[in-house]
Amino acid sequence: TTIGAFTSRISNKRSRTFATAPLLGDTLTIEYYSPSWVKALPTLRITRVVHGYKPFLMPPQLKGSPSGPCEIDVACEPSEWQDQTRSVGVLLTQDNQKYCSGALLNNVKGDGRQLFLTANHCAGFSDVSNHLVMFNYQRMQCGIPEEELTMKHNTAHGLVKISSFRTSDYTVYEILEPIPDDYHVYMAGWSALTTPQAPIVGIHHPMGDVKKISYYSGNLSQDCWSECPDRMHWKIEKWSRGTTEPGSSGSPLFDSTHRIVGQLHGGSASCYNEQGYDLYGALWASFEKGDLGKVLDPEGTGRRECDGVDLSVARRQNQRFRHQWHK
């Protein structure tokens, strides 16, 4: 397996650090290339090598799954939620430990800024400069023999916390490494309105597993976690299909407009408690009580909802705008 190339223009950051996702195998070769006109030697130091003794990427030849048997694979569902699926990623520590889910967000300005929404209780690390977000960690086919399954994954390195609010349990990170266009990542739309419409969908990485999708056909109700009597959460009474598990925390909740209305805080739902509930921090509360509105609507237009867009499209639009402005 080969990953790269990683270039100075894209991969160098102020932190002067870099990390990658794990590779299958027991040996590793790092290749450095320098143009002939560059005479200086590189400053390159390997500070850590992680050697996993358990499968990380669930190679196709290994049967079984870390998540529960009632979870629904995104590859086995209609393409209606395909765009939103491309916005969802799983967070990795610098030691390649998967710990929470989240989603890339669009903003009102449409400037292609790489804003990643997750749960505040997932953000207890003092330093996330070497953490990664792994996109496209999912099966690519459904209904074929296990040994023929193929999966993919793409990572972007380096996070910095932009905004958070404990009560509605959200954190927004900015991903520092430019996400390559060939990742085909989507920037999800969002809604800070208080009237989300059914059906409701959650997309997540339960137990750090490949991407799953869950459905709720009922209407969301306002509820509380620890902020009672205030109610800054949306409640899923009981999933209609699928569920969530540890590792799903921070994952987005979409309403029928295909916009994010919250991120998973927690609950009692699982494949072994199908009558269990889930609570999602409400985006409207993060807007009104936290400062998420300043992040997603930096120019203060007053908009409470925003459609999604392909990251590559947002970049091209922003480049055209800057070119016209400088004329």
Side-chain angles (χ1 to χ4, degrees), residues 18-22 47-54 56 91-99 125 127 130-132 157:
F18 181 72
T20 71
T47 59
R48 183 183 308 223
V49 177
V50 178
H51 188 189
Y53 64 93
K54 290 184 177 180
F56 175 88
L91 287 158
L92 309 179
T93 69
Q94 62 186 15
D95 295 323
N96 290 149
Q97 299 295 312
K98 293 174 283 190
Y99 61 95
F125 299 91
D127 181 10
N130 271 328
H131 286 207
L132 303 102
H157 169 260

Side-chain angles (χ1 to χ4, degrees), residues 11 19-20 31 42 46 56 61 69 73 104 108 120-121 155 173 175 220 224 228 230 235 257 261-262 267 275 292 309:
S11 300
T20 71
E31 181 179 288
I46 299 174
F56 175 88
Q61 66 270 22
D73 204 297
L104 198 67
V108 170
N120 183 67
H121 75 266
T155 57
Y173 290 120
I175 303 173
L220 296 177
C224 56
C228 306
D230 293 330
K235 185 175 185 180
T257 66
V261 297
Q275 303 302 313
L292 185 58
V309 64

Side-chain angles (χ1 to χ4, degrees), residues 65-87:
S65 172
S67 63
C70 71
E71 298 286 6
I72 304 169
D73 204 297
V74 294
C76 297
E77 293 299 290
S79 60
E80 177 185 1
W81 295 94
Q82 187 176 60
D83 285 343
Q84 290 68 39
T85 294
R86 294 189 286 117
S87 73

Side-chain angles (χ1 to χ4, degrees), residues 250-289:
S251 61
L253 188 71
F254 298 91
D255 75 352
S256 63
T257 66
H258 291 214
R259 301 184 182 115
I260 294 175
V261 297
Q263 73 289 327
L264 181 60
H265 192 154
S268 62
S270 75
C271 287
Y272 308 101
N273 183 18
E274 295 185 359
Q275 303 302 313
Y277 68 91
D278 270 329
L279 291 176
Y280 285 74
L283 207 80
W284 70 263
S286 302
F287 248 65
E288 294 182 6
K289 308 298 182 181

Side-chain angles (χ1 to χ4, degrees), residues 90-292:
V90 58
L91 287 158
L92 309 179
T93 69
Q94 62 186 15
D95 295 323
N96 290 149
Q97 299 295 312
K98 293 174 283 190
Y99 61 95
C100 275
S101 304
L104 198 67
L105 292 173
N106 194 14
N107 63 34
V108 170
K109 194 174 180 180
D111 56 7
R113 192 178 183 189
Q114 298 176 166
L115 302 174
F116 191 78
L117 173 71
T118 188
N120 183 67
H121 75 266
C122 295
F125 299 91
S126 59
D127 181 10
V128 291
S129 61
N130 271 328
H131 286 207
L132 303 102
V133 177
M134 184 160 62
F135 294 101
N136 301 318
Y137 181 44
Q138 60 198 67
R139 285 183 172 88
M140 304 308 295
Q141 303 94 4
C142 178
I144 65 173
E146 189 81 12
E147 62 272 12
E148 296 179 17
L149 281 174
T150 59
M151 295 182 293
K152 61 184 294 187
H153 66 284
N154 304 116
T155 57
H157 169 260
L159 305 178
V160 60
K161 185 185 289 188
I162 298 299
S163 175
S164 65
F165 185 50
R166 182 180 63 84
T167 309
S168 63
D169 194 45
Y170 90 86
T171 286
V172 171
Y173 290 120
E174 183 169 9
I175 303 173
L176 298 180
E177 182 180 6
I179 300 171
D181 287 349
D182 61 9
Y183 285 13
H184 303 295
V185 169
Y186 187 76
M187 305 174 74
W190 46 266
S191 171
L193 302 178
T194 57
T195 55
Q197 302 296 314
I200 306 297
V201 162
I203 304 174
H204 53 109
H205 288 277
M207 303 298 292
D209 201 357
V210 292
K211 202 173 297 177
K212 309 294 183 181
I213 187 167
S214 304
Y215 299 91
Y216 178 56
S217 58
N219 292 315
L220 296 177
S221 58
Q222 292 187 10
D223 211 314
C224 56
W225 184 271
S226 60
E227 73 275 15
C228 306
D230 293 330
R231 297 171 179 266
M232 300 187 192
H233 286 71
W234 294 119
K235 185 175 185 180
I236 299 284
E237 294 285 353
K238 181 177 77 72
W239 289 102
S240 306
R241 294 178 58 214
T243 189
T244 62
E245 299 179 67
S248 302
S249 287
S251 61
L253 188 71
F254 298 91
D255 75 352
S256 63
T257 66
H258 291 214
R259 301 184 182 115
I260 294 175
V261 297
Q263 73 289 327
L264 181 60
H265 192 154
S268 62
S270 75
C271 287
Y272 308 101
N273 183 18
E274 295 185 359
Q275 303 302 313
Y277 68 91
D278 270 329
L279 291 176
Y280 285 74
L283 207 80
W284 70 263
S286 302
F287 248 65
E288 294 182 6
K289 308 298 182 181
D291 61 357
L292 185 58

